[in-house]
Amino acid sequence: MANVSIIPSGDFKTSYGTDTTIFPTKTSRNFAILGVVLLLACPAFMDRYWLSLLIQIGYLGIAALGLNILVGFTGQISIGHSAFFGFGAFASAWLNNSWGVPVALAIPLAGVITTGVGLLFGMPAARLKGLYLAIATLAAQYILQDFFARADWFTGGTAGTIAEPLTLFGFAFDTDERFFYVVLVAMVVMYILATNLMRTRDGRALVAVRDHYLSAEIMGINLTKYRTMSFGISAFYAGIGGALYAHYLQFVSVEGFTILFSIQFLGMIIIGGLGSIMGTLMGTAFMVFLPELMQALTKMVSGTAIDTALNLKDNIAFLREMSIGLVIILFLVFEPDGLAHRWKQIKAYWKLYPFSH
């Protein structure tokens, strides 16, 4: 797992507090603060294209973190995460449109409602494992997709529904420059909550269930309780991410929450590193920037000798989709612990150079 620590020989922790600290060194803490400060300045010098990509990384990163808590930290599997992401989006728009709940309150309430749906599917799924669990989460994906298409009162049916922009004290966050700060604050808060969760007794119990469920059960950990809890937490994060997505685009459509989107969420946590909070954000950024990079490459290849020799023609546009699957396979084969593990190895190399350990 990507959360295995790489520290020099003789570097010992002398207290429980230092062993569970969020930032292992003052330098890492200072760089994290500096990173947030730099992000706060992004709207001042970035155009709308780059801000849009950063906003995508924000709300997708929140949802992907929920999936990593379920898959990477608890050892479960879910291939229906996009359905919960979509439920959060529709729930927030429904609360605002039908009940007049302010958007600022509808977003967290959508997360709570999605948690209930996640627990509903998680209770029977918590007693399953392996292929049977994967099939159960796949069933949840298709059940919710069918619900989205039929529940006109909730989703607007196949026509979709409007989501109003976030407004606080008469100030509307209806532009990329403004909504960027909303997503940034939400992302920082949700990542801090997840980091602190992993430092608690419940967080350690989730990891114990992942590492060896029989040993965890012998130690008195209720497997069903914590597996179900992980589904609820995962759904909560997906709901918050989906609600931010809805109020950013200001429109939610049924077609956006397919099984392919769920596979992309899995790709984010695999590429970033299973069981790594930092890796989740790295994997999300990778998956957001990859299609943009492939689009630039396809424009370069289009009409060239390579295009003619391979007879790509109109199929060149599908290279973007193919690249996602190829990258997931390459990471599983050559870097199964993800980008977070590689980053730790790079830091350890520079910290220990010229010694090998």
Side-chain angles (χ1 to χ4, degrees), residues 35-252:
V36 174
V37 171
L38 291 176
L39 285 173
L40 289 171
C42 283
F45 60 86
M46 282 188 174
D47 59 24
R48 293 186 61 186
Y49 170 74
W50 290 104
L51 282 178
S52 175
L53 293 180
L54 291 179
I55 291 171
Q56 288 182 53
I57 293 171
Y59 62 69
L60 291 177
I62 292 172
L65 180 57
L67 184 62
N68 211 349
I69 291 173
L70 176 66
V71 178
F73 286 100
T74 316
Q76 302 297 93
I77 184 65
S78 175
I79 49 179
H81 199 63
S82 71
F84 297 105
F85 182 83
F87 193 93
F90 283 119
S92 185
W94 175 70
L95 287 170
N96 178 247
N97 295 334
S98 300
W99 295 91
V101 178
V103 174
L105 187 58
I107 292 175
L109 283 178
V112 174
I113 295 173
T114 310
T115 301
V117 177
L119 291 174
L120 180 65
F121 285 101
M123 283 188 286
R127 301 181 182 276
L128 305 173
K129 59 183 178 180
L131 178 62
Y132 299 102
L133 177 59
I135 296 300
T137 59
L138 180 64
Q141 169 76 38
Y142 285 111
I143 289 171
L144 288 177
Q145 274 189 244
D146 187 67
F147 172 76
F148 294 158
R150 296 176 184 274
D152 292 351
W153 59 272
F154 184 71
T155 66
T158 55
T161 185
I162 299 294
E164 297 296 328
L166 173 64
T167 303
L168 281 177
F169 306 110
F171 185 82
F173 294 87
D174 53 357
T175 64
D176 288 358
E177 292 80 6
R178 296 176 179 181
F179 199 79
F180 172 80
Y181 292 110
V182 176
V183 173
L184 178 61
V185 170
M187 187 188 72
V188 171
V189 170
M190 299 300 285
Y191 270 71
I192 290 176
L193 288 176
T195 303
N196 283 317
L197 171 65
M198 292 303 115
R199 301 164 64 202
T200 65
R201 178 180 179 180
D202 289 332
R204 294 191 295 273
L206 294 176
V207 175
V209 171
R210 177 199 70 192
D211 289 344
H212 202 291
Y213 70 92
L214 289 178
S215 299
E217 191 171 25
I218 290 171
M219 289 188 295
I221 295 175
N222 189 324
L223 299 183
T224 302
K225 170 188 172 182
Y226 283 102
R227 285 172 174 168
T228 305
M229 179 191 296
S230 67
F231 272 98
I233 295 171
S234 174
F236 176 74
Y237 274 75
I240 295 294
L244 291 170
Y245 160 85
H247 295 290
Y248 171 58
L249 295 183
Q250 299 178 25
F251 180 78
V252 192

Side-chain angles (χ1 to χ4, degrees), residues 53 56-57 60-61 64 260-273 279-295 320-329 331 339:
L53 293 180
Q56 288 182 53
I57 293 171
L60 291 177
L260 296 178
F261 198 15
S262 293
I263 299 300
Q264 288 185 29
F265 276 121
L266 281 173
M268 292 173 193
I269 63 174
I270 290 172
I271 292 171
T280 303
L281 194 57
M282 297 172 70
T284 304
F286 188 95
M287 289 291 283
V288 169
F289 286 126
L290 178 64
E292 306 304 318
L293 175 62
M294 292 306 300
Q295 183 176 11
R320 295 177 62 186
E321 285 73 17
M322 293 170 58
S323 65
I324 294 174
L326 178 62
V327 166
I328 292 175
I329 293 172
F331 267 89
L339 293 172

